[in-house]
Amino acid sequence: MELPPLLRQGVDAALAGARLPDLSRAAGTLSERYRAEVRDGRFHLSDDLAARAYLATRLPATFAAVRSAMAALAEARPDFAPADLLDLGAGPGTAFWAAMDCWPDLGRAVLVEGSPAIRAWGERLAREAPIPAAWRDGNVAKPLEDVAPHDLVTLAYVLDELAEAERGPLVDRLWHLTRDTLLVVEPGTPAGWERILAVRDRLIAAGAFLLAPCPHAATCPLVAPDWCHFSRRVARSRLHRQAKGAEVPWEDEKFIYLAASRFPGQGPAARVIAPPRLASGQARLKLCRADGRAEERLFTKREGAEFKKARRVDWGDAL
């Protein structure tokens, strides 16, 4: 997956003139803070160099994860056509660009971001967008004043930066601001999955309908050390590879998400929750089923159309 052309052009312009050694050091520091889930009261994107390192090395991956989650949401609710978007912890506008790509008729957006450095770049990038975006300074852990409900509310890669006591009240506030659908995306780590499970429990208790990835609202059937997550392959630009000291022109972004709505969707019979294992005349899929069970299912040539379908699906697909 690649960034939309307008966003790619904006990022390239933002990175023009950046010194590669400085960008590499900032990218390394940023990666360390994200991996360690550092919560020291400072923004990960605390200055202009860190913000530009994020544009070079993290934006493509987070865009791919959010866009993939939105695709699953749209598949579950093909009638959903959001008129407006509210994104908290917007960063450089990742969910904004992903939503425009997924729903071209999106009309407007409100983007809330507390880091002045990344918000400034997000505002610059959004000037080239085909729809208006209103940017606001705000701490997502605190109530937002004068914010109306929106059709689509998003929170991507934010919960891992908050203290545990702040997460539940934030989810409650977001659900209150959700006119139709709420989408939460987190890193695809065991800790990210645990955070999504807590969000899932809270939204089910609030009466939400789960759209994706879960095909059911029963207790998650996976047990640690197993965990639910998905992956999206991301194309790396030349600068991206240089800033990370990487050789291959791609990376795999692991993520987990939850889409919940005030309206029911078209739930699948199952979802593929691990990379398919294919062999001659066989396809072995790990599935989370609509009846609340997880299982490994072997499909063989003798099953005809079902086997052909199983050979085509990928990790994260509905079945």
Side-chain angles (χ1 to χ4, degrees), residues 270-282:
R271 189 171 300 276
V272 182
I273 57 172
R277 291 184 288 165
L278 306 179
S280 178
Q282 296 183 349

Side-chain angles (χ1 to χ4, degrees), residues 34 43-45 54 59 62 66 85-96 110-115 118-119 122 134-142 144 153-162 170 173-174 177 183-186:
Y34 279 124
F43 289 115
H44 293 330
L45 306 175
Y54 184 94
L59 175 59
T62 56
V66 174
L85 163 72
L86 171 64
D87 183 35
L88 273 71
T94 310
F96 169 60
V110 174
L111 310 178
V112 181
E113 173 55 51
S115 166
I118 197 64
R119 189 174 65 248
W135 285 82
R136 290 186 51 168
D137 178 19
N139 183 344
V140 299
K142 297 181 180 179
L144 298 173
V153 178
T154 53
L155 186 78
Y157 291 80
V158 173
L159 291 178
D160 63 321
E161 298 186 27
L162 302 179
L170 171 59
R173 290 194 297 273
L174 291 183
L177 291 170
L183 175 65
V184 182
V185 185
E186 282 288 293

Side-chain angles (χ1 to χ4, degrees), residues 188-194 197 220-230 273-275 286-288 293-296 315:
T189 62
W193 172 60
E194 293 285 355
L197 285 182
C220 180
L222 300 187
V223 178
D226 196 3
W227 77 97
C228 185
H229 64 294
F230 306 99
I273 57 172
K286 184 177 180 180
L287 303 173
C288 185
R293 293 189 295 122
E295 69 170 8
E296 281 205 356
W315 188 4

Side-chain angles (χ1 to χ4, degrees), residues 27-303:
T29 300
L30 199 60
S31 293
E32 290 173 6
R33 289 183 63 87
Y34 279 124
R35 280 198 300 269
E37 298 189 357
V38 174
R39 303 185 189 95
D40 56 6
R42 297 193 300 115
F43 289 115
H44 293 330
L45 306 175
S46 57
D47 55 44
D48 182 71
L49 184 57
R52 291 209 281 177
Y54 184 94
L55 295 181
T57 63
R58 284 300 298 152
L59 175 59
T62 56
F63 175 88
V66 174
R67 182 62 181 84
S68 297
M70 288 179 175
L73 189 170
E75 183 180 27
R77 279 281 309 283
D79 61 319
F80 181 49
D84 49 25
L85 163 72
L86 171 64
D87 183 35
L88 273 71
T94 310
F96 169 60
W97 287 94
M100 286 188 294
D101 193 56
C102 188
W103 296 285
D105 292 332
L106 184 73
R108 59 191 179 277
V110 174
L111 310 178
V112 181
E113 173 55 51
S115 166
I118 197 64
R119 189 174 65 248
W121 281 112
E123 289 174 335
R124 288 179 61 172
L125 294 171
R127 290 174 194 157
E128 304 303 320
I131 70 169
W135 285 82
R136 290 186 51 168
D137 178 19
N139 183 344
V140 299
K142 297 181 180 179
L144 298 173
E145 298 180 358
D146 304 322
V147 176
H150 285 64
D151 286 348
L152 176 62
V153 178
T154 53
L155 186 78
Y157 291 80
V158 173
L159 291 178
D160 63 321
E161 298 186 27
L162 302 179
E164 185 175 357
E166 296 173 321
R167 297 170 193 158
L170 171 59
V171 171
D172 293 342
R173 290 194 297 273
L174 291 183
W175 185 240
H176 179 72
L177 291 170
T178 300
R179 190 184 300 126
D180 193 301
T181 298
L182 171 62
L183 175 65
V184 182
V185 185
E186 282 288 293
T189 62
W193 172 60
E194 293 285 355
R195 289 190 290 270
I196 288 292
L197 285 182
V199 172
R200 183 180 186 271
D201 289 344
R202 208 166 188 105
L203 292 175
I204 290 172
F209 295 96
L210 303 186
L211 300 181
C214 308
H216 60 82
T219 300
C220 180
L222 300 187
V223 178
D226 196 3
W227 77 97
C228 185
H229 64 294
F230 306 99
S231 181
R232 179 60 62 185
R233 182 149 292 184
V234 182
R236 284 173 169 160
S237 67
R238 181 171 177 269
L239 183 59
H240 188 166
R241 294 198 304 274
Q242 290 175 329
K244 279 199 164 184
E247 298 291 336
V248 296
W250 49 264
E251 67 181 13
D252 291 325
E253 174 68 5
K254 304 294 196 304
F255 66 100
I256 180 63
Y257 68 98
L258 184 73
S261 180
R262 297 190 181 277
F263 305 95
Q266 298 177 1
R271 189 171 300 276
V272 182
I273 57 172
R277 291 184 288 165
L278 306 179
S280 178
Q282 296 183 349
R284 190 179 296 274
L285 303 181
K286 184 177 180 180
L287 303 173
C288 185
R289 297 164 39 114
D291 62 8
R293 293 189 295 122
E295 69 170 8
E296 281 205 356
R297 169 82 191 279
L298 177 65
F299 295 83
T300 65
K301 272 187 175 181
R302 286 176 295 183
E303 294 174 85

